[in-house]
Amino acid sequence: MAFKMEDRYFMNLAIKEARKSQDGDGYFVGAVVVINNRIISIEHSNEKKSNGHAEELAIEECHKPLYGATIYTTMEPCSFRHQLGRKSCSDLIIAAGIRRVVYGVRDPDKECNGIEKIKRAGIEVVHLRSLEEICKKVTPTVFPK
């Protein structure tokens, strides 16, 4: 889909946010929610099975529908959760009314198909390949050199 000039700026903010969670192992992810080039929410997470994901935290922080928003996330949004009662990030994105997802790197879990789920919901998806290697470096335990 269409790459916009501001995509690099907001993804770099998500990368900077992801670096805040670099403690131990896990998936270090940053997420930024933007409406009309204005940051609505920015969150990070060291994503393990028991804690919230960056996209989940960023959406919940908004406390409102996000119709027309773009979410920038350093890693592909999850398509399933291991915890009972927790929705996947892709389900939360769809339910929130977000119209565009820009991500840096695919989830290394081959069972994750969050991007396909989001596309099937009619949401525009952009893989920002120019920052993929930087997004991988943010999570060295998942994407070793």
Side-chain angles (χ1 to χ4, degrees):
M1 291 292 161
F3 164 77
K4 297 180 180 181
M5 288 303 293
E6 61 268 17
D7 289 345
R8 287 183 61 82
Y9 173 78
F10 291 119
M11 183 60 80
N12 276 311
L13 290 178
I15 291 166
K16 183 177 179 181
E17 188 68 16
R19 288 186 174 126
K20 292 180 181 179
S21 65
Q22 289 184 328
D23 180 21
D25 59 2
Y27 292 20
F28 310 127
V29 179
V32 179
V33 177
V34 175
I35 297 177
N36 296 326
N37 288 331
R38 189 172 144 250
I39 296 171
I40 304 300
S41 149
I42 185 166
E43 287 290 337
H44 67 274
S45 178
N46 180 352
E47 298 180 3
K48 297 181 181 180
K49 289 184 179 180
S50 61
N51 63 351
H53 290 185
E55 302 95 330
E56 173 185 21
L57 298 172
I59 290 167
E60 288 176 354
E61 182 180 284
C62 296
H63 303 290
K64 62 181 177 180
L66 297 170
Y67 303 117
T70 297
I71 189 166
Y72 296 85
T73 179
T74 57
M75 188 180 293
E76 171 183 16
C78 69
S79 60
F80 61 89
R81 294 297 288 274
H82 296 285
Q83 304 94 326
L84 291 175
R86 284 191 112 142
K87 289 186 175 183
S88 71
C89 292
S90 54
D91 288 334
L92 292 169
I93 287 167
I94 293 164
I98 291 173
R99 70 166 178 81
R100 192 166 178 265
V101 175
V102 180
Y103 72 100
V105 66
R106 292 294 300 246
D107 191 311
D109 182 343
K110 300 300 180 203
E111 293 182 23
C112 181
N113 61 356
I115 293 303
E116 284 75 21
K117 190 180 214 180
I118 290 166
K119 284 179 182 178
R120 283 192 306 271
I123 297 170
E124 180 183 353
V125 174
V126 177
H127 183 184
L128 201 54
R129 294 179 198 280
S130 63
L131 294 177
E132 183 173 41
E133 290 306 312
I134 295 170
C135 289
K136 285 181 179 179
K137 288 178 184 175
V138 172
T139 305
T141 59
V142 177
F143 299 102
K145 291 182 181 180

